Amino acid sequence: MRRMAPRKQQEIFDATLRLVAEKGYDGLTVEGVAERSGVNKTTIYRWWPSKAALLGAALVEADVLGFEPPDTGSLRGDLVALVESMIRLLTEPPSADIAVAALAAAARHPELDTRNFFADRFAKEREIFERAAQRGELSASADPMLVLDLLAGAVWSRVVLRGLRAPDGFAAKAVSALLDGV
Amino acid sequence: MRRMAPRKQQEIFDATLRLVAEKGYDGLTVEGVAERSGVNKTTIYRWWPSKAALLGAALVEADVLGFEPPDTGSLRGDLVALVESMIRLLTEPPSADIAVAALAAAARHPELDTRNFFADRFAKEREIFERAAQRGELSASADPMLVLDLLAGAVWSRVVLRGLRAPDGFAAKAVSALLDGV
């Protein structure tokens, strides 16, 4: 099977993510994606056998959720920039509706596998900790995934679960709590 | 309007939470709660005008999600016990399916107001920080909600978003990262 043209693929992913943002996972259908993207339904099914597979691929591949780890020259600077980017991801359109709808749906639908999404992000986020270790800013026993869960989780808890705004300086305060201790 | 008998109310709340755990928020209906609890639909509507209001009340009032803050004698002990209770809440039946379904739904349905649920928990969790301040374990500038967002968020990120198990010692490591710094 030859590769799908990248632009066509992005149009399918965009339609998928816009639909999940508007209608939630339960309202997402391959038929709806076909209609929205103008790509034949059977063509979509040839590449992705289910709506779960299609959304899983879109989360990793879509440009709108693209992620590059910050590189500010210090661990503190990188983590503050990372938390700020997570606040934007979860509060600003169009990524907020997409990310909240898709990630909340994954909690209830095991067939929607977001492991690739998190593995892909984690592979990039690790670079922050590798550079920090090379600069001597981080002890060898530090656990990058735990640090990321604490910081990303704090953003999710504040803006998604509690439904509150992240106040000014939230990123710097959260990073300081972790690096300096409470 | 006189008060509903507490046992009848708990039966309605139990039916509500079991239904949301089984069918998700979209599958929850007041008709379904009436059928499951054996209470007349019009009686339920008299007390709670919508399924959102009913679920919002059930989250705060239901015995199955009851919460008492730990009191171990130290801030560290209390926070470790708190994180362990959050891991149980989000991974063990019956609370896991209920909490994940309801809290994930709230992210997409603003009419489902979980602020009372979090305000009620926060009022109890604050006691941990008040006792720690009295013991001199906590600086005056410490921000209890930020600490709770970091810790509760880390659990949510690891077990709900990433879909991974919290390894042994996760609670102690997360608390140590915060109290001692990374």
Side-chain angles (χ1 to χ4, degrees), chain B residues 104-120:
Chain B
R108 282 191 49 74
H109 297 275
E111 78 278 10
L112 170 57
D113 189 346
T114 54
R115 279 175 297 185
N116 282 341
F117 172 76
F118 284 105
D120 183 65

Side-chain angles (χ1 to χ4, degrees), chain A residues 56-88:
Chain A
L59 286 173
V60 176
E61 303 283 345
D63 295 337
V64 64
L65 297 179
F67 169 72
E68 283 306 317
D71 184 5
T72 64
S74 75
L75 176 61
R76 188 177 301 260
D78 284 359
L79 292 180
V80 171
L82 185 68
V83 173
E84 284 169 347
S85 79
M86 287 166 174
I87 294 172
R88 286 194 300 275

